[in-house]
DNA sequence: TGTACATCAGTGAACGCGCGTTCACTGATGTAC
DNA sequence: TGTACATCAGTGAACGCGCGTTCACTGATGTAC
């Protein structure tokens, strides 16, 4: 009994893909996960999605459009991960819990995390990208304040920036191999070192 | 009265350049400063140095070799900058002073700072690169301990990693436009925000 | 001091590559009547 | 319910590009005698 998903999956020679947009995003994600962000190629992405190199243009305009859409999606998932970690407790507890989630996301989704910040490759004025990235920041900010920011309140509070900086820096250093280049070294540092490092963050 | 420097500069048609290695490094630095690390090209670098595209191979082997040499040079300058900032005072004072120098270097030498961490483009086993980068870390580490690390002592202490993370993260966020994308926004953040941010680093 | 010659640091043309995008097209879909 | 047709989402060949590296070579340098 073929459902819609199966029919999409099995019908080999359909002229119209049916769900090409998400398929291209998934293919692009696989490409950068394998080859790194710099190894991205629109042609390779189309190849993996099983369509001609001209097909993506219908959905994303150009290569930058596709990467921007992927980065926006990544920021949405990132925001979800931070939100899920935002529990109860003191401000510093909440910040530290989010810090762990922040680094965990970076290590679990290395290529996506890298892409999120590669603004030279992205269209930062894209509304979806802007919305997704500023939401992620506001979650951190809320934890730092202990409550949502009121309207017209100072946008950047040093405690939030400090928390953001320390986990962002730790994540990048770990990804860049500063804590060891072997398989699993970054994960080990996040597990063993990060909690102690976060002890040095005060509020 | 032509000195050696002038004769190198003015003699147009010499078959042997005389100082091609440093000239190529300078050209490569200019290329990445203008076009970003991803815009680097060996051919363009050779073009700017006024030599054929095959010439760099004699000095650096291949493109990766040239970038690695440039990154090593960058790490050396970076270490010098940190060392110059390492004055007297309490441990936290010394760490904060180095933090300011760290971020200042990153903003002043954006492309070089970016290159230093782009390990996919570099040969991290290169002895010069290894030496220059581990020296830079040891300067931070020394400030965090308040004294040089003894032989066989724990390599990574959380206070040093915390200091490193917070300034590295702040620098990267600033460079990636997180504190504003306009001209000078990163510098303004470093001046106005960073000292307050470093108040949240404890030891 | 002069000469022969090995070594070194260049040349510039050529190779092959994969890329992003354009183009004229075609097949499928969905809507108006 | 059936048909005409506009719109949409694909094709696949082609374009032009700049790249890193290789190759056979050549001109300059420096060293041994």
């Amino acid at each position: 009994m073929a459902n819609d998903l199966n029919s999409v999956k099995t019908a080999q020679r359909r002229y119209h893909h049916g769900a090409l947009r998400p398929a291209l995003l998934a293919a692009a994600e696989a490409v950068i996960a394998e080859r790194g962000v710099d190894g991205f190629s629109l042609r390779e992405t189309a190849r993996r999605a099983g369509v001609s190199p001209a097909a993506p243009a219908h959905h994303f305009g150009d290569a930058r459009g596709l990467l921007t859409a992927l980065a926006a999606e990544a920021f949405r998932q990132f925001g979800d991960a931070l939100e899920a970690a935002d529990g109860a407790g003191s401000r510093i507890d909440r910040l530290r819990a989010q810090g762990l989630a922040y680094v965990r996301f970076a290590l679990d989704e290395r290529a996506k995390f890298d892409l999120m910040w590669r603004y030279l490759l992205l269209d930062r004025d894209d509304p979806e990208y802007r919305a997704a990235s500023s939401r992620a920041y506001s979650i951190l900010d809320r934890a730092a304040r202990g409550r949502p920011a009121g309207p017209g309140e100072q946008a950047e509070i040093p405690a939030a920036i400090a928390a953001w900086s320390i986990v962002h820096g730790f994540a990048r250093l770990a990804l860049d191999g500063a804590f060891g280049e072997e398989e699993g070294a970054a994960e080990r540092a996040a597990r063993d070192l990060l909690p102690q490092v976060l002890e040095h963050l005060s509020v």
Side-chain angles (χ1 to χ4, degrees), chain A:
Chain A
M1 204 165 103
N3 59 25
D4 278 2
L5 217 78
N6 276 341
S7 69
V8 163
K9 237 176 137 186
T10 54
Q12 292 298 342
R13 290 280 132 202
R14 292 171 60 207
Y15 196 91
H16 288 93
H17 184 286
L20 184 52
R21 199 189 138 96
L24 285 169
L25 288 172
E29 185 177 334
V31 170
I32 67 171
E34 256 175 51
R35 309 187 173 182
V37 170
D38 293 315
F40 172 79
S41 132
L42 189 62
R43 291 186 88 103
E44 175 64 16
T45 299
R47 224 173 277 134
R48 296 201 188 198
V51 293
S52 83
H58 288 282
H59 297 276
F60 299 102
D62 55 14
R64 169 177 303 260
L66 198 164
L67 285 177
T68 301
L70 185 57
E73 190 184 85
F75 257 117
R76 258 176 261 123
Q77 297 168 352
F78 183 54
D80 292 346
L82 292 182
E83 208 152 60
D86 188 13
S90 68
R91 278 169 64 210
I92 191 70
D93 284 346
R94 292 177 65 191
L95 274 179
R96 287 178 183 158
Q98 289 205 7
L100 294 172
Y102 195 110
V103 173
R104 203 173 305 123
F105 183 91
L107 297 186
D108 287 349
E109 307 284 353
R110 294 177 178 231
K112 266 199 258 183
F113 184 78
D114 190 8
L115 176 65
M116 283 160 54
W117 311 99
R118 295 288 284 275
Y119 68 94
L120 291 173
L121 303 176
L122 307 176
D123 172 16
R124 313 171 93 178
D125 293 331
D126 177 74
E128 278 205 67
Y129 177 82
R130 290 190 91 88
S133 61
S134 63
R135 168 189 167 234
Y137 172 71
S138 77
I139 295 168
L140 260 177
D141 182 73
R142 196 199 322 148
R145 291 176 200 267
R147 55 175 176 75
E153 244 181 317
Q154 189 192 0
E156 288 156 347
I157 66 169
I161 306 288
W164 193 12
S165 295
I166 202 167
V167 293
H168 191 77
F170 189 95
R172 297 227 66 133
L173 289 170
L175 292 177
D176 289 340
F179 306 134
E181 299 166 30
E182 333 80 67
E183 179 79 19
E187 285 74 10
R188 204 172 317 118
R191 197 189 55 221
D192 299 340
L193 207 48
L194 181 56
Q196 296 179 71
V197 164
L198 289 180
E199 296 288 319
H200 294 275
L201 176 68
S202 64
V203 284

